[in-house]
Amino acid sequence: MFFLLSLFAPTSSFQLTPPLLRQASTTTLSLRLNKWIKLEIPPSTSSDSGSGSGKASPVEVHQIRSRKVFVKRDDTLNLETSHVSGNKARKLFSLNSMPLSNNETIVSYGGPQSNAMVALAAITNSKKNCNFVYYTKVIPRFLKKNPAGNFLRAKSLGMQIIELKPDTYNELFKSMDGGTSDPPPNLAPPSEQSVWVPQGGACTLAKLGCEILADELFDFWSSEVKGQQIQGQGQGQGQQMPLAILIPCGTGTTAFYVNWFLQKRLRKEGLGNREIEVFCVPCVGDMGYLQRQQVALSKNSGLELGELELGEDEIPFPTVLKPRDKKGGGKIKYLNFGKPEFHIMRVYEELLEEHGLFVDLLYGAPAWHTLLGYFDSFELEQDSFEQEKENPPKEKENPLNGKFLLYYHSGGLEGVSSQMKRYEHLGMVAKKDVQ
C-alpha cells in the first residue's frame, strides 16, 4: 500500500522560490520539475509497538470526583530517534519507522503552535538528508519577536516555515476542511521529492500506530475489565460492565482508526461491538467539523469494509460525547480551540492539584471540561453547568452510566508552558504559577 507524502532535500543551495501556486505564470523551471512522491507504508506486525521500545504505554488508575478512571498514558511514549510522544507518536509511527534518506521534503500546514508541526519537525530532523516545510498564516508579531513553545522547538529542529496571507492560506487549505490525503491541487511541490502530510497527520499514515494502540486497549480491557459486572446502578445491575474510552479529538483520526480496529478485534473474538465503546470530544471546531473530518477520512482510510462485513453506508464511527444541557434547555457550546478560558483553567488546576493528573490546555482540559459534566459530583459556577446534584441526568441521557471509563492521555504537555504565558498575559493566572 502507498500513500501521498511531501518531502524536501536540505541542501545548502535549496531555497523555496515563490510563487507557490501552480497557476502562477512566473513559476520557475526548478519548481515545475518538482513532484509529489508516494512512500510505502510499512505493514503491521504483531511485534510492533507504538512506543518504539517494545512496551505498551502504561495505564494508571485515578479517583476523580468519586469516580474510578483509568488513564492510558501515551504522554509517556518516546519514539526512537525522534523522541515524539503522545498521540502523534501513534499517528506518525509509520513515518518515524521509514528509512528516509534521499533528499525528501515533508510538507504540511496548520497553526504556528501545532503539536503535529513540532512532531514532524522532530521526525524529519532525525532523518538523514531530509527537511520540513510548513505553511501557516502570518505569525503574530509577538510570537515572531519572542519565539516560544512548539514554534521555537520546531524552528530549532530545522523547520522552514512559510507564512501566507489569510486569503492565500484559505485559497489553498480552506477546502481541506473535511480532510484529504492529497495536497491542494494548486500547491506546487517545493522540491524534487515532496511528501504531503495532511494537517494533524489525518491520513492512512496513522493506521499502523493506531492499530497498535487499539491492540493495547483491547488487551487491557481483556485482562483488567472484561467480566466485571455493574453493581448498585439500578437498571443493568448484574450485567457485564463495558469500557468507555474517551479520546480528545482534533481531526478525529486517532479515534476513527482506534474504533475501527477495536471493532475488528471484538468481531474476531466473537464479542459484541458494545463491549468497548470509543467516545470522542471535539476540541477543534464543533461536532460538525469533527464529523466531516471522519467521514472524509473514511473515504480514504485504506480500510476494507469486508473485514467487518459492512456495507459502504455502515462504517462504524466513534460516539461523539456532547456537552451537557444548561438550565433552561440550552446547550453548552464547545470551547474555542486555543482561546484561554477560565473554565479550562479551573479544570486544569483541579485535575493537577486534586487528582494528580497533568493534562495539556488545548485538548486535555477542554475534553475533561465536557467529561466532568457527566460526573455525579461535578460542580461548576452558575454561569456554566448546574451542579449535578441539583440537576441529575436521566440515565438514558448519560452514555457513560454503567461503564468503566478510560481516558486517553494524548500528550501535548510540552506546549503547556507557552499556553500558561497567554493565561498570565490575560490575568487569568499569577506569574508565580507560570514555569
Side-chain angles (χ1 to χ4, degrees):
M1 184 181 294
F2 294 81
F3 65 96
L4 200 60
L5 294 177
S6 104
L7 299 170
F8 161 99
T11 60
S12 58
S13 60
F14 178 88
Q15 290 184 341
L16 280 173
T17 306
L20 300 172
L21 301 182
R22 287 187 185 277
Q23 65 265 32
S25 60
T26 56
T27 302
T28 64
L29 176 61
S30 61
L31 277 176
R32 289 199 300 270
L33 294 176
N34 294 342
K35 60 183 179 181
W36 300 107
I37 65 171
K38 293 182 179 181
L39 300 178
E40 185 174 1
I41 301 177
S44 173
T45 67
S46 58
S47 61
D48 284 328
S49 170
S51 67
S53 62
K55 297 180 180 180
S57 62
V59 176
E60 296 179 346
V61 180
H62 290 257
Q63 197 76 15
I64 298 178
R65 297 217 177 157
S66 302
R67 183 153 188 180
K68 179 181 179 180
V69 180
F70 298 109
V71 179
K72 177 68 169 171
R73 293 288 307 275
D74 263 14
D75 60 302
T76 65
L77 292 183
N78 186 9
L79 287 184
E80 292 179 352
T81 69
S82 67
H83 307 295
V84 172
S85 64
N87 78 318
K88 300 303 181 289
R90 303 291 188 176
K91 293 200 288 187
L92 300 176
F93 177 74
S94 292
L95 184 63
N96 191 75
S97 303
M98 292 177 182
L100 306 178
S101 59
N102 194 28
N103 292 337
E104 303 99 337
T105 302
I106 295 176
V107 182
S108 192
Y109 75 101
Q113 291 287 15
S114 163
N115 290 332
M117 172 193 72
V118 72
L120 287 169
I123 290 174
T124 305
N125 182 262
S126 70
K127 307 292 184 181
K128 182 180 180 181
N129 296 328
C130 292
N131 213 328
F132 177 39
V133 172
Y134 189 75
Y135 295 93
T136 190
K137 292 181 181 179
V138 176
I139 299 170
R141 186 180 306 173
F142 180 83
L143 180 60
K144 191 177 294 187
K145 290 184 177 180
N146 303 275
N150 288 345
F151 176 71
L152 175 61
R153 282 186 284 274
K155 289 282 288 183
S156 69
L157 290 168
M159 173 186 69
Q160 181 171 356
I161 195 162
I162 300 176
E163 300 178 59
L164 300 175
K165 293 181 179 180
D167 288 347
T168 303
Y169 185 91
N170 290 335
E171 178 184 354
L172 286 170
F173 305 121
K174 188 175 182 180
S175 62
M176 306 291 277
D177 180 31
T180 175
S181 297
D182 300 325
N186 293 332
L187 182 66
S191 73
E192 292 183 4
Q193 298 193 88
S194 297
V195 178
W196 174 255
V197 178
Q199 186 177 27
C203 60
T204 55
L205 174 65
K207 282 176 55 181
L208 177 55
C210 289
E211 182 176 8
I212 296 167
L213 172 58
D215 283 342
E216 292 178 18
L217 291 168
F218 182 91
D219 291 343
F220 169 78
W221 170 81
S222 182
S223 63
E224 303 294 334
V225 177
K226 183 181 178 182
Q228 297 193 42
Q229 296 182 341
I230 301 173
Q231 298 179 357
Q233 296 200 26
Q235 184 179 3
Q237 183 175 353
Q239 297 179 3
Q240 182 167 301
M241 195 167 177
L243 178 67
I245 299 173
L246 178 85
I247 300 181
C249 291
T251 62
T253 304
T254 302
F256 174 81
Y257 278 120
V258 165
N259 184 65
W260 171 276
F261 287 115
L262 281 173
Q263 294 301 314
K264 180 180 177 181
R265 184 77 181 271
L266 287 168
R267 287 172 181 259
K268 180 180 179 181
E269 301 290 337
L271 300 168
N273 62 0
R274 290 297 181 182
E275 300 292 342
I276 305 175
E277 186 171 1
V278 176
F279 291 85
C280 49
V281 178
C283 297
V284 179
D286 57 13
M287 183 171 63
Y289 170 83
L290 175 58
Q291 290 174 333
R292 291 193 300 273
Q293 291 281 347
Q294 292 195 338
V295 168
L297 182 63
S298 70
K299 296 177 181 178
N300 303 284
S301 63
L303 300 173
E304 295 293 336
L305 294 176
E307 294 178 350
L308 300 184
E309 299 180 353
L310 298 174
E312 292 184 1
D313 58 345
E314 298 177 312
I315 297 173
F317 290 101
T319 301
V320 176
L321 192 64
K322 301 176 182 179
R324 290 297 310 281
D325 288 341
K326 268 186 178 180
K327 183 178 180 181
K331 289 287 186 180
I332 298 292
K333 294 182 178 180
Y334 292 103
L335 300 171
N336 293 324
F337 180 72
K339 180 182 178 181
E341 299 276 3
F342 281 111
H343 292 194
I344 294 178
M345 183 52 60
R346 286 200 294 270
V347 169
Y348 168 83
E349 291 175 342
E350 178 189 336
L351 291 173
L352 181 61
E353 297 170 5
E354 298 183 24
H355 309 299
L357 182 58
F358 183 26
V359 299
D360 73 304
L361 291 162
L362 295 181
Y363 293 92
W368 273 100
H369 176 266
T370 295
L371 175 62
L372 289 174
Y374 291 85
F375 278 40
D376 290 340
S377 60
F378 188 40
E379 297 179 0
L380 277 179
E381 297 186 7
Q382 293 179 357
D383 61 349
S384 182
F385 294 106
E386 288 294 303
Q387 291 187 12
E388 198 74 18
K389 293 180 180 179
E390 297 179 6
N391 187 26
K394 297 179 181 178
E395 186 169 353
K396 66 178 182 180
E397 295 176 348
N398 191 340
L400 302 182
N401 277 352
K403 295 182 176 71
F404 285 106
L405 184 63
L406 184 146
Y407 170 72
Y408 174 68
H409 197 315
S410 58
L413 301 180
E414 62 275 6
V416 171
S417 60
S418 60
Q419 278 292 307
M420 289 292 285
K421 290 180 181 178
R422 295 185 64 198
Y423 278 86
E424 177 198 356
H425 178 70
L426 296 173
M428 295 183 178
V429 295
K431 185 174 183 179
K432 64 181 180 63
D433 296 326
V434 180
Q435 297 181 356

